[in-house]
Amino acid sequence: MGIEFTEYSVERTVGRMPVVGNRQTVGFMHGGAYVVLGESLGSMAANLHAGPGRLAVGVDINATHTRSATQGYVTGVCTPVHLGRTLTVHEIVVTDEDGKRCCTMRITNLIKDMPAHAS
């Protein structure tokens, strides 16, 4: 997928991904590729919030595609909507190189204790 992470904090997680290699057959950025970027950013942010000994797992994601990127890179910016003890909700906005919004996503993650490792 070629995702590059450029910022990583509880309040803001950012990554970018090339359009080339992530296109559908007609040359547009594949909708599923946007979702891969969004889920990667949202899950990373939720796990950072969860803290040591806890794990965030995705339970819901939705995406609205509003523009088609055809070249260059798209950038996803993930910000929290809700940071709770057991649930997080993040919004991810993906823009093209001109700053035009291509996709808006929301991901919900469940935070639980890390499972014990079998010996």
Side-chain angles (χ1 to χ4, degrees):
M1 305 295 304
I3 298 172
E4 301 170 9
F5 301 97
T6 58
E7 285 184 50
Y8 185 50
S9 72
V10 172
E11 292 302 320
R12 181 177 157 99
T13 303
V14 180
R16 72 182 200 146
M17 180 171 50
V19 174
V20 172
N22 292 305
R23 291 181 177 143
Q24 54 179 263
T25 56
V26 295
F28 299 143
M29 182 78 161
H30 195 289
Y34 286 122
V35 176
V36 168
L37 177 60
E39 184 157 2
S40 297
L41 293 170
S43 293
M44 286 178 57
N47 274 289
L48 184 60
H49 168 71
R54 307 207 68 213
L55 176 67
V57 294
V59 295
D60 182 65
I61 190 165
N62 66 65
T64 302
H65 308 292
T66 52
R67 184 175 196 82
S68 299
T70 57
Q71 62 185 3
Y73 281 81
V74 294
T75 299
V77 177
C78 173
T79 55
V81 174
H82 173 76
L83 296 174
R85 191 178 66 75
T86 57
L87 282 178
T88 63
V89 178
H90 287 85
E91 179 184 62
I92 303 95
V93 174
V94 180
T95 57
D96 64 15
E97 289 185 330
D98 294 326
K100 295 178 180 172
R101 188 181 293 225
C102 297
C103 185
T104 305
M105 288 169 272
R106 188 184 68 213
I107 185 170
T108 302
N109 280 280
L110 171 69
I111 299 175
K112 59 185 191 170
D113 292 333
M114 186 78 72
H117 290 84
S119 46

